[in-house]
Amino acid sequence: MNRPLVIGNWKMNLDYVEAVHLVQQLGVVLQNKPLEHVDVVVVPPFVDLRSVTSVVESERISLEVGAQHASAHDAGAHTGEVSVSMLQRLNVQWVLVGHSERRAMYAMTDDVVAHTLRAVVRAGLQAVLCVGEELSVREAGTPREFVTAQLHAALAGVEEKSRPLITIAYEPVWAIGTGLTASSEQVRDMTEHIRTVAASLSLENTRVLYGGSVNADNAAALLSEGRVDGFLVGGASLKADSFLAIAQAANDCYDGKR
Ligand code: PEP
């Protein structure tokens, strides 16, 4: 199995003071009880990034930092956008690409997702491609077809050298922020399907995460029965104890207990 990855997406929560406080709390716990078998990433709002990367570096906290979005463009007249090179300059290592909230609320089409993904990996940053179906698609019985189309649109033709920089997060839209978690069977079925499609696009051994109302109580079962390589966590990443409990579950599963 792949080394697990647990990512906390803070969305539009926590100003820079609150962000520093949370990352320091995470640092204290991680220093006392290091998680050797899991990669942990926090994804704050843009305006918090400089403060968070500074604290992570100066206090040598074993966390990496990501951004929630990036522009597909290099520079220029794109008011409100942030370029990949600006993120790089802040020592940001990860970028979420095509989160369902960006797709649904900010007109991020499959085409924009594909261009953004290319901009991120071209710069050598790690991209987390988010895919997942809405409830109507699941009820219509076509979630696999829907996710296949999203994967093809984003990944077809990605250069060979960029492929190791890609992680895929399966996030059924109906499970995000709703308290409804996909069952382990649904997660296993879709993540197996995603691995097959990714392999057909020459992405072998890509990490496949699950996201959608993950919490400390359901994480272990989703890992072992859902066979995911980790999680993209929203709500439960806003508190140090709940986020680290999820990371601990991933750590323990990898450490021979899965
Ligand atoms: C997310 O925002 O990617 C997410 C999975 O949120 P939540 O964990 O709150 O459902």
Side-chain angles (χ1 to χ4, degrees):
M1 81 175 266
N2 292 316
R3 180 180 163 86
L5 168 64
V6 174
I7 304 177
N9 173 17
W10 296 355
K11 309 195 189 194
M12 197 172 72
N13 296 294
L14 309 181
D15 64 27
Y16 85 93
V17 177
E18 295 164 328
V20 165
H21 184 63
L22 176 54
V23 88
Q24 283 173 329
Q25 284 182 317
L26 294 170
V28 169
V29 180
L30 288 171
Q31 208 156 27
N32 290 333
K33 201 174 175 204
L35 297 175
E36 288 168 17
H37 305 289
V38 58
D39 296 327
V40 184
V41 178
V42 292
V43 185
F46 284 133
V47 293
D48 299 348
L49 286 172
R50 174 117 173 98
S51 313
V52 169
T53 54
S54 299
V55 173
V56 166
E57 281 158 32
S58 64
E59 299 187 15
R60 295 173 194 272
I61 300 172
S62 50
L63 289 173
E64 293 188 349
V65 180
Q68 297 174 18
H69 172 64
S71 174
H73 302 280
D74 292 339
H78 299 284
T79 303
E81 289 285 278
V82 172
S83 73
V84 169
S85 63
M86 292 171 182
L87 297 173
Q88 250 182 329
R89 185 96 164 149
L90 290 173
N91 292 338
V92 166
Q93 291 134 300
W94 296 78
V95 183
L96 305 185
V97 180
H99 189 281
S100 63
E101 289 157 13
R102 303 275 342 152
R103 292 179 189 258
M105 291 188 263
Y106 302 98
M108 198 171 183
T109 60
D110 277 342
D111 194 44
V112 177
V113 170
H115 281 96
T116 307
L117 184 91
R118 274 157 189 68
V120 170
V121 296
R122 209 167 39 234
L125 298 187
Q126 302 271 351
V128 182
L129 171 67
C130 303
V131 297
E133 79 288 356
E134 291 184 14
L135 188 57
S136 57
V137 174
R138 180 152 287 270
E139 285 173 348
T142 53
R144 284 171 168 232
E145 291 78 356
F146 185 87
V147 168
T148 303
Q150 285 184 320
L151 291 170
H152 275 270
L155 298 174
V158 169
E159 282 181 69
E160 197 178 333
K161 68 172 193 290
S162 301
R163 290 177 195 146
L165 295 170
I166 296 173
T167 295
I168 299 169
Y170 169 54
E171 297 209 298
V173 178
W174 48 271
I176 296 181
T178 57
L180 289 175
T181 314
S183 69
S184 296
E185 295 70 39
Q186 287 169 325
V187 173
R188 188 173 60 235
D189 182 63
M190 186 59 89
T191 51
E192 275 171 9
H193 177 65
I194 288 172
R195 286 183 218 282
T196 305
V197 176
S200 76
L201 295 167
S202 306
L203 277 97
E204 311 281 353
N205 306 321
T206 300
R207 285 197 280 203
V208 181
L209 313 182
Y210 167 75
S213 301
V214 176
N215 57 44
D217 296 329
N218 59 25
L222 284 165
L223 281 160
S224 57
E225 294 159 24
R227 298 195 185 283
V228 291
D229 297 315
F231 300 113
L232 180 50
V233 185
S237 70
L238 296 174
K239 294 265 186 288
D241 54 355
S242 50
F243 184 53
L244 289 175
I246 295 168
Q248 181 78 53
N251 184 80
D252 294 348
C253 280
Y254 190 73
D255 190 20
K257 296 184 189 129
R258 181 155 162 176

